[in-house]
Amino acid sequence: MAEGEFEVVPIPQVSLAPDQLSRKFLLCQVCNDIYNEDGKHARLLPCLHSLCFECLNKTKVNDQLQCPTCKVTHNVSNVDKTCPRDNTRRDLMDFVKVKRAPTAVGCTACPSNIATHRCRQCAEFLCGECESAHKRVNATKNHILLELEKLKQSSDLDAFCRQLLCSEHPDNDLKLYCTKESCQKPVCMMCAIVTCKETNGHKIESADTVANSKRQIIRDQKVKMEDVGKQIQSVTNDVKAEQEMVSKLRKSVEDEIDKTFDSLEQIISQGRADLKKTLEDDVMVKQDNLKTQDADLKRMRSEIEESSKFTDQALAYTNAPAFLQVYQTIQNRLKTLTDQFFDKEPHEMATFGFHAKGLVSEIQSKVAEMANIWSVSAFPPNCKVEFGDDLEENKAATFIVKLKDFQKKGPFKDGGLDVTDMKIIIKDPKGAETECARKMKKGSTDELEVTVKPTMTGRHSLEIRVLDRVVVSKDFESKPETGFAAVVRGSRKEPSPQKTPPVRREVPKPEQPATPLGIQKPDMTFDRDKAHKDVSISADGKVFKNISAGDQTEPVPSNSRLQKYKGALCAKGIKYPGRYYYAIKMEIKVKKPLDKSNLVYELGIARKSVIGKNLVVEGEKFAWSMIGAHHVDCDAICLHIAHNNHLLYHEVLTKNETGSTMERVFGFLLDTEFGQWKVFDHKIEKEICVVESVDCSEFLYPVVAGYNPNSVEVTATFMDV
């Protein structure tokens, strides 16, 4: 098995009770009849619900069929392809019979007699006489006979699987599978000889082998789908919390309104009612949006749970042909649910309030003008900040903040910026806060003009707060009044510049990038003694290769090396405080095309305690990395950078073809003060990605790993910067 692939795990056992199995999987969702082998045999819909064949034909209208369970409409112009026959239900029926009452199961050959055993090979129930005869006949005496009482205690479906017979050659079992694109179906030995000849481009494999492979694909897809389900649940929790905060804030605003208007009982009673109605409308809009999102998320989660349960059930069968007949439908449904789009944040925030400045003294003439319910519906993913040119120390500049709600509409109620409890704060590198002047851009309902004047160089942060809740956050850099234009500088001034790659500057000699002030450039080498036995480290510790470590000059005990992690870690760690820059040249050469999703390399930074636990450090709590791997959708070797289950960056590196090569120099800036790990294209001084929330409280070690040396050569070299 190639590195980066998953091992086949045992098929899960049935976990539902017999009555639950019967209601969920053995009854037609329309007529409520038990499935049989004739007109009421089970048909699987693309949404993984099922109907009997009779009801399916009655339900579809003009090649359209609406699932009675989830109400999704399917195109069924080709019923057999869209809604395949689900023969796994036959085996499940026998399983339920035994689980419910084994003493009531009749003999297959002698229905009037009670069965005591079941033949695994024949898939028949046998009474005492038939069992004895089964043991005497030469053709069946070596068959495995299982007692029904013992089967009742088991949750394994294997004993109930029936071998499917070929429709073209009824005496032959469907034990093979034709993998030709136009076939893709179980076949018997005679079909393989007569119709699926290899000379005609057909390729025959064992049905069990193909089924095992397809099951693993389904398992992998199910894991991805369930990860999406977890994300949906997390967003659902956020939506619920925001709903509660909206309700809580509503009560707070109502109390404030009451306090103000209690002194104006007769004059402003009508105004009070009008304002509460306005508040109610605004709250209703927010709650309706949140409720709608909550309902959509619950529906999506329900679909995932429903499909997950069905998938568990389908994976419980060892009947390869039956499984293969429904595999594509299951795969399509799981992929659809995995790829479905949903917003990762609540559509609304509890951001509204009540404004009543000067109301008492001006009440009779100004109540309608001065008392307002303001409401802001800023949705962070749709909000943007445009800084324009690089900001300079002690120089005022104006930039644009674009605020949008979740529907990409203006966030303010009636353009009410002036009465909105909003602050725009700039934090300098020392943490000091300054409130910025802001105004609505002329002619706009969603763009703010913000004026800022940095008092020092370095990284600043912009925060837009409504009721002290941050709705937009953005970092930016300010440069000195004199100096190199657009160079990304550190948060401290140093007497002399050092070298590190800036983010935004074209330089005459890109092979010698300049570095920000205050940057340290540690001398990096790989720890040869800790490197995995299947990689090679040069004598000076600078060069890593994913080949056998044949050039190691000193014997090292195997138990001191990395065991699972096919790589090496840096000899020295990095820890707070400080900003550190290093660069690694990556070279890859494809010797032969990689299989789907095979790993190529990993570059990262991690605590020593998590390095070596798994094939990659990605996903560990105290590890951050970038992965090079074969990407199925691009059919190429691609770079992926992800954090907290969110893809931050994707780029095609080279073709997945024999002879393809790639050489890139990646620069890495670890800022321990701000907890950031920045990735650069070192040669052209371009920032690729920023990974936030890096925990630098303990030593972090740069790591490199290389995989699948039979398919691709990987070389990583620490560069002098």
Side-chain angles (χ1 to χ4, degrees), residues 320-350:
F323 169 81
L324 292 170
Q325 289 177 328
V326 300
Y327 154 76
Q328 192 60 54
T329 302
I330 299 174
Q331 164 71 356
N332 291 344
R333 180 57 171 171
L334 297 189
K335 189 173 188 306
T336 297
L337 294 178
T338 301
D339 294 342
Q340 63 186 324
F341 172 81
F342 63 93
D343 287 324
K344 303 298 190 302
E345 294 187 37
H347 284 172
E348 290 281 2
M349 298 178 72

Side-chain angles (χ1 to χ4, degrees), residues 326-389:
V326 300
Y327 154 76
Q328 192 60 54
T329 302
I330 299 174
Q331 164 71 356
N332 291 344
R333 180 57 171 171
L334 297 189
K335 189 173 188 306
T336 297
L337 294 178
T338 301
D339 294 342
Q340 63 186 324
F341 172 81
F342 63 93
D343 287 324
K344 303 298 190 302
E345 294 187 37
H347 284 172
E348 290 281 2
M349 298 178 72
T351 49
F352 55 89
F354 173 65
H355 173 72
K357 183 178 180 181
L359 178 61
V360 175
S361 61
E362 299 287 335
I363 187 63
Q364 291 190 6
S365 61
K366 298 291 186 179
V367 63
E369 175 185 341
M370 299 180 63
N372 299 278
I373 293 296
W374 64 266
S375 179
V376 177
S377 297
F379 185 55
N382 291 342
C383 299
K384 297 180 179 179
V385 180
E386 297 178 355
F387 288 108
D389 295 334

Side-chain angles (χ1 to χ4, degrees), residues 43-211:
R43 289 286 180 146
L44 185 63
L45 306 184
C47 57
L48 303 190
H49 296 115
S50 58
L51 298 175
C52 72
F53 188 57
E54 203 173 88
C55 290
L56 185 148
N57 288 320
K58 292 179 180 177
T59 305
K60 71 170 185 170
V61 178
N62 296 328
D63 291 337
Q64 299 290 313
L65 183 146
Q66 186 182 61
C67 174
T69 303
C70 64
K71 307 305 179 185
V72 173
T73 300
H74 307 292
N75 186 319
V76 290
S77 55
N78 186 332
V79 172
D80 290 332
K81 183 177 181 180
T82 307
C83 305
R85 181 169 183 152
D86 189 352
N87 286 315
T88 62
R89 310 300 171 103
R90 300 187 314 171
D91 304 335
L92 189 59
M93 288 178 187
D94 287 348
F95 175 84
V96 171
K97 284 180 185 178
V98 173
K99 296 292 284 186
R100 277 178 169 168
T103 57
V105 178
C107 175
T108 302
C110 318
S112 60
N113 294 337
I114 300 300
T116 60
H117 290 74
R118 180 178 175 85
C119 176
R120 183 186 292 270
Q121 285 84 352
C122 298
E124 294 180 346
F125 292 109
L126 307 174
C127 63
E129 293 181 4
C130 290
E131 184 230 351
S132 298
H134 224 66
K135 291 179 178 179
R136 291 195 303 270
V137 177
N138 287 334
T140 59
K141 67 180 181 180
N142 292 323
H143 285 192
I144 299 174
L145 304 181
L146 303 170
E147 294 183 24
L148 296 194
E149 283 297 335
K150 291 184 178 179
L151 281 179
K152 182 181 179 182
Q153 308 304 320
S154 172
S155 297
D156 187 358
L157 275 171
D158 190 49
F160 297 89
C161 290
R162 308 184 196 182
Q163 181 63 44
L164 296 184
L165 299 177
C166 179
S167 60
E168 298 294 329
H169 312 96
D171 293 332
N172 292 346
D173 293 337
L174 295 174
K175 293 185 176 181
L176 303 175
Y177 189 84
C178 180
T179 60
K180 185 180 180 181
E181 187 65 29
S182 59
C183 277
Q184 295 284 319
K185 65 181 180 181
V187 296
C188 69
M189 182 63 73
M190 187 60 69
C191 289
I193 296 173
V194 177
T195 59
C196 294
K197 299 178 180 179
E198 291 192 0
T199 54
N200 293 332
H202 294 264
K203 185 177 180 181
I204 304 299
E205 295 186 22
S206 164
D208 288 333
T209 300
V210 177

Side-chain angles (χ1 to χ4, degrees), residues 405-600:
D405 67 6
F406 76 98
Q407 295 176 319
K408 296 186 178 181
K409 297 179 180 179
F412 299 106
K413 174 182 172 2
D414 299 327
L417 173 63
D418 292 338
V419 297
T420 300
D421 189 352
M422 173 188 287
K423 294 181 180 179
I424 299 181
I425 303 295
I426 295 293
K427 289 184 180 179
D428 66 24
K430 294 183 178 180
E433 295 187 356
T434 303
E435 186 170 354
C436 299
R438 82 281 194 278
K439 63 179 181 179
M440 193 75 76
K441 185 178 179 181
K442 188 175 181 179
S444 175
T445 60
D446 56 26
E447 293 181 306
L448 306 182
E449 292 181 339
V450 179
T451 302
V452 60
K453 184 177 181 180
T455 58
M456 62 178 65
T457 62
R459 184 183 290 103
H460 293 63
S461 63
L462 163 74
E463 288 185 355
I464 299 179
R465 305 172 184 168
V466 180
L467 287 180
D468 286 330
R469 298 191 64 188
V470 177
V471 296
V472 177
S473 179
K474 181 76 172 180
D475 289 346
F476 65 93
E477 297 277 344
S478 68
K479 65 183 181 180
E481 292 177 276
T482 58
F484 300 110
V487 175
V488 178
R489 295 188 178 272
S491 59
R492 299 174 304 280
K493 292 187 178 179
E494 300 290 342
S496 61
Q498 299 176 0
K499 292 183 178 181
T500 199
V503 177
R504 309 178 186 90
R505 184 163 71 92
E506 293 185 1
V507 295
K509 295 181 179 180
E511 69 277 7
Q512 296 180 350
T515 59
L517 295 174
I519 295 293
Q520 300 182 51
K521 302 172 292 179
D523 183 21
M524 295 291 191
T525 58
F526 293 110
D527 189 336
R528 300 183 71 210
D529 293 347
K530 295 291 192 298
H532 191 277
K533 64 181 180 63
D534 290 338
V535 304
S536 172
I537 305 297
S538 63
D540 62 359
K542 292 288 188 180
V543 183
F544 165 100
K545 292 186 178 181
N546 67 332
I547 59 176
S548 178
D551 62 344
Q552 296 286 355
T553 58
E554 299 179 5
V556 179
S558 60
N559 58 2
S560 69
R561 294 184 178 278
L562 295 173
Q563 300 299 313
K564 293 184 179 180
Y565 192 62
K566 296 292 185 71
L569 69 156
C570 189
K572 296 180 181 179
I574 301 173
K575 186 181 179 183
Y576 176 88
R579 303 174 75 206
Y580 304 87
Y581 183 82
Y582 60 97
I584 298 176
K585 179 170 73 173
M586 291 299 302
E587 300 171 87
I588 61 177
K589 179 179 180 180
V590 181
K591 295 191 287 187
K592 64 178 182 179
L594 291 153
D595 293 334
K596 293 181 179 179
S597 302
N598 279 168
L599 294 171
V600 177

Side-chain angles (χ1 to χ4, degrees), residues 179-366:
T179 60
K180 185 180 180 181
E181 187 65 29
S182 59
C183 277
Q184 295 284 319
K185 65 181 180 181
V187 296
C188 69
M189 182 63 73
M190 187 60 69
C191 289
I193 296 173
V194 177
T195 59
C196 294
K197 299 178 180 179
E198 291 192 0
T199 54
N200 293 332
H202 294 264
K203 185 177 180 181
I204 304 299
E205 295 186 22
S206 164
D208 288 333
T209 300
V210 177
N212 285 336
S213 174
K214 301 292 189 184
R215 285 192 183 97
Q216 187 59 44
I217 293 173
I218 290 295
R219 289 191 190 95
D220 295 344
Q221 189 66 54
K222 179 174 176 285
V223 170
K224 295 178 182 178
M225 178 193 70
E226 289 178 340
D227 285 342
V228 173
K230 292 176 182 177
Q231 294 180 42
I232 291 175
Q233 184 58 53
S234 176
V235 179
T236 299
N237 294 339
D238 291 343
V239 170
K240 186 66 176 178
E242 205 63 47
Q243 285 179 295
E244 293 173 356
M245 291 187 69
V246 167
S247 298
K248 183 177 180 180
L249 184 58
R250 171 188 174 176
K251 181 62 170 61
S252 175
V253 173
E254 282 186 338
D255 290 344
E256 188 178 352
I257 292 172
D258 287 338
K259 181 179 179 180
T260 301
F261 277 84
D262 279 347
S263 61
L264 309 169
E265 293 179 355
Q266 298 301 320
I267 302 174
I268 60 171
S269 59
Q270 185 60 48
R272 185 202 313 246
D274 291 343
L275 286 168
K276 285 190 175 182
K277 178 60 171 60
T278 302
L279 172 65
E280 182 66 27
D281 291 343
D282 290 339
V283 168
M284 185 176 296
V285 169
K286 284 183 174 288
Q287 293 286 31
D288 286 347
N289 289 334
L290 290 168
K291 287 178 181 177
T292 299
Q293 186 184 15
D294 181 63
D296 290 342
L297 291 168
K298 287 179 178 177
R299 173 185 57 75
M300 296 166 71
R301 177 64 181 168
S302 175
E303 291 175 351
I304 286 177
E305 291 174 350
E306 192 76 15
S307 297
S308 180
K309 291 177 182 177
F310 179 87
T311 302
D312 284 339
Q313 181 59 42
L315 292 174
Y317 300 112
T318 57
N319 190 328
F323 169 81
L324 292 170
Q325 289 177 328
V326 300
Y327 154 76
Q328 192 60 54
T329 302
I330 299 174
Q331 164 71 356
N332 291 344
R333 180 57 171 171
L334 297 189
K335 189 173 188 306
T336 297
L337 294 178
T338 301
D339 294 342
Q340 63 186 324
F341 172 81
F342 63 93
D343 287 324
K344 303 298 190 302
E345 294 187 37
H347 284 172
E348 290 281 2
M349 298 178 72
T351 49
F352 55 89
F354 173 65
H355 173 72
K357 183 178 180 181
L359 178 61
V360 175
S361 61
E362 299 287 335
I363 187 63
Q364 291 190 6
S365 61
K366 298 291 186 179

Side-chain angles (χ1 to χ4, degrees), residues 16-58:
L16 296 177
D19 289 340
Q20 292 176 302
L21 286 171
S22 181
R23 287 194 303 271
K24 197 161 192 65
F25 298 112
L26 299 182
L27 298 179
C28 174
Q29 302 296 311
V30 174
C31 65
N32 211 36
D33 288 343
I34 297 176
Y35 295 126
N36 60 28
E37 294 297 299
D38 300 318
K40 287 188 175 294
H41 64 263
R43 289 286 180 146
L44 185 63
L45 306 184
C47 57
L48 303 190
H49 296 115
S50 58
L51 298 175
C52 72
F53 188 57
E54 203 173 88
C55 290
L56 185 148
N57 288 320
K58 292 179 180 177

